[in-house]
Amino acid sequence: MAGLSLECGDCKALLRTTEEAQEHAELTGHKNFHESTQAVLNLICTSCGKPCRTQTEQDLHTKRTGHADFADKTAETAKPIVLENKPVAGPSVSGEGGSAENAPEMVVPEVNKEALAELEAMGFPTARSTRALHFTGSSNVETAVNWIVEHENDPDIDEMPLVPSDANTSIQSLLTPEEAKAKAQELVQRAKRKKEEEEKRMEKERERERIRIGKELQEARRIEEQQERQRIIAFRKAEKEEENRARLKIRQKLEEDKAERRRKLGLPPEEPKPVVAAPPPQEEKKPFVPLRPASKAEQMRECLRGLKQAHKEDEAKVKKAFQTMLTYIGNVARSPNEDKFRKIRLTNATFQERVGSLRGGIEFLQLCGFERDQDEFLTLPREKVDMVLLNTAGSELNSAINNPFFGVL
């Protein structure tokens, strides 16, 4: 069977042509080559189209990119080796023909000097930088860096590339240095503008979200105030009815006492005045409104009122308790992921002095979501942090601190 490749006897590398063998010999100094019936692998990555000549290259490519599907096109590219009666590698012995004299001189290819200097300034060796610029055929530094990263495990990565002297052409940049610098500045400015536009867009989104939340809180506060007014009106009406019933009882008691005194004095009982029966009071029919349970905001307000009324003799202590609870709530609202803000030790002397010893202080924190555990801690689990509830608690505390009439009525 005809040879399909040339195998290096020193490193076992398979080469497709005598030219590749010649280049391999000049780069490595290996001289022992022989024909092989094993074809050089041609494994094409179905994802990115990169060819891999060995199983090692395939494994490295899979490790770097995650691509695992390859198409084996070895049979399509395998061709018999044509030696053309010339030595593959090594110096020619005089008298064995003039093939060594006819072999082209191999030189280092010329690459873009500025790009090479920039790569060297980045810390890449000269050989790697030259290979990258030569094989990418470009003076683009980013493209060369990507090539170095992809081929960093190649066995000849640190060997200087060689090309025939007659085929060596200076790789000219498509742009002059001034144009390349202007292009780079343009790309930087474009990236900055894009970043600024993205930041402006995000700021607008955040502003819209703040406005939406503000409107929702304002509407919820309006509804709560309206319901509070309705409850006050109903409470005053009930107080008035209770007062009327008390007055009626007092009047009846006076009439009974008067009749008792006339009886003791031997006076005839006073003729009762004709009493005109008052029509039974007719209850005003109003549309039935189902009672709803008190909201969290109402419970918080009542808790704070009870605390102030229970300690009304020491307003400074009450105000300090309100400010301390506002600090606890504010810390959690600003940094909900901080565990230290969501955990309060009940036995802490400062906490006991300012909040724990006051009736209603711990109850208010529990209304905000804090839970009491067996280790004498008040803990607010992260998944139970309710920003709307914390904002409501903050509003109620601010009202209690700033409103001089809070808890008076």
Side-chain angles (χ1 to χ4, degrees), residues 57-85:
E57 287 187 18
Q58 179 187 355
D59 295 340
L60 290 173
H61 181 72
T62 301
K63 184 177 180 180
R64 285 195 300 266
T65 64
H67 302 164
D69 295 333
F70 291 84
D72 190 353
K73 297 187 177 181
T74 304
E76 300 177 7
T77 58
K79 296 180 181 179
I81 291 292
V82 180
L83 298 179
E84 299 179 352
N85 296 327

Side-chain angles (χ1 to χ4, degrees), residues 31-185:
K31 303 177 182 180
N32 182 18
F33 291 86
H34 60 270
E35 291 187 65
S36 174
T37 57
Q38 182 179 358
V40 178
L41 293 179
N42 187 23
L43 304 175
I44 307 298
C45 178
T46 57
S47 300
C48 62
K50 174 180 174 55
C52 297
R53 300 181 57 174
T54 64
Q55 188 65 38
T56 302
E57 287 187 18
Q58 179 187 355
D59 295 340
L60 290 173
H61 181 72
T62 301
K63 184 177 180 180
R64 285 195 300 266
T65 64
H67 302 164
D69 295 333
F70 291 84
D72 190 353
K73 297 187 177 181
T74 304
E76 300 177 7
T77 58
K79 296 180 181 179
I81 291 292
V82 180
L83 298 179
E84 299 179 352
N85 296 327
K86 62 181 180 180
V88 174
S92 175
V93 181
S94 59
E96 293 185 359
S99 57
E101 298 178 359
N102 296 330
E105 181 184 0
M106 305 300 288
V107 296
V108 177
E110 294 184 10
V111 296
N112 186 277
K113 303 299 182 183
E114 294 181 358
L116 179 61
E118 189 170 349
L119 288 172
E120 291 176 344
M122 293 181 182
F124 294 108
T126 304
R128 289 195 183 192
S129 304
T130 305
R131 290 183 73 85
L133 293 172
H134 171 65
F135 286 111
T136 57
S138 170
S139 61
N140 186 281
V141 175
E142 183 178 356
T143 304
V145 171
N146 292 336
W147 188 93
I148 292 174
V149 173
E150 290 182 2
H151 295 79
E152 61 182 354
N153 294 320
D154 291 355
D156 55 351
I157 185 64
D158 289 319
E159 298 176 1
M160 193 69 75
L162 297 175
V163 296
S165 58
D166 56 353
N168 182 29
T169 57
S170 176
I171 300 177
Q172 299 293 335
S173 174
L174 298 178
L175 300 175
T176 63
E178 293 77 9
E179 292 175 341
K181 184 176 181 180
K183 185 69 174 178
Q185 293 178 351

Side-chain angles (χ1 to χ4, degrees), residues 326-341:
L326 182 61
T327 300
Y328 288 142
I329 300 303
N331 288 338
V332 176
R334 285 188 294 271
S335 304
N337 293 323
E338 289 288 341
D339 292 340
K340 63 180 180 180
F341 293 146

Side-chain angles (χ1 to χ4, degrees), residues 156-278:
D156 55 351
I157 185 64
D158 289 319
E159 298 176 1
M160 193 69 75
L162 297 175
V163 296
S165 58
D166 56 353
N168 182 29
T169 57
S170 176
I171 300 177
Q172 299 293 335
S173 174
L174 298 178
L175 300 175
T176 63
E178 293 77 9
E179 292 175 341
K181 184 176 181 180
K183 185 69 174 178
Q185 293 178 351
E186 180 184 354
L187 292 175
V188 171
Q189 293 297 330
R190 189 184 304 169
K192 288 183 178 179
R193 287 195 299 269
K194 186 176 180 181
K195 183 178 180 180
E196 291 175 356
E197 292 174 357
E198 183 66 18
E199 290 178 351
K200 291 180 180 179
R201 186 185 68 80
M202 294 299 296
E203 181 62 28
K204 290 181 179 178
E205 290 290 337
R206 288 192 291 268
E207 183 64 24
R208 282 197 290 267
E209 184 66 15
R210 285 195 293 268
I211 293 174
R212 183 186 66 81
I213 294 175
K215 289 182 178 179
E216 290 180 356
L217 292 175
Q218 185 176 2
E219 179 65 18
R221 191 177 297 112
R222 184 189 66 80
I223 294 174
E224 290 179 1
E225 292 175 353
Q226 181 180 1
Q227 293 174 349
E228 181 68 17
R229 287 194 297 269
Q230 292 176 354
R231 281 192 294 275
I232 292 174
I233 293 172
F235 177 74
R236 289 178 178 175
K237 183 178 179 180
E239 283 184 339
K240 188 174 182 181
E241 292 176 354
E242 183 66 24
E243 183 181 352
N244 291 335
R245 286 193 294 269
R247 287 178 180 177
L248 180 59
K249 288 182 180 180
I250 294 173
R251 191 179 295 114
Q252 291 175 353
K253 182 65 175 175
L254 291 174
E255 291 293 337
E256 291 176 357
D257 292 343
K258 184 178 179 181
E260 181 65 21
R261 287 194 301 270
R262 289 181 67 86
R263 185 182 64 78
K264 288 181 179 181
L265 293 173
L267 297 176
E270 186 178 7
E271 294 182 1
K273 296 179 181 180
V275 180
V276 180

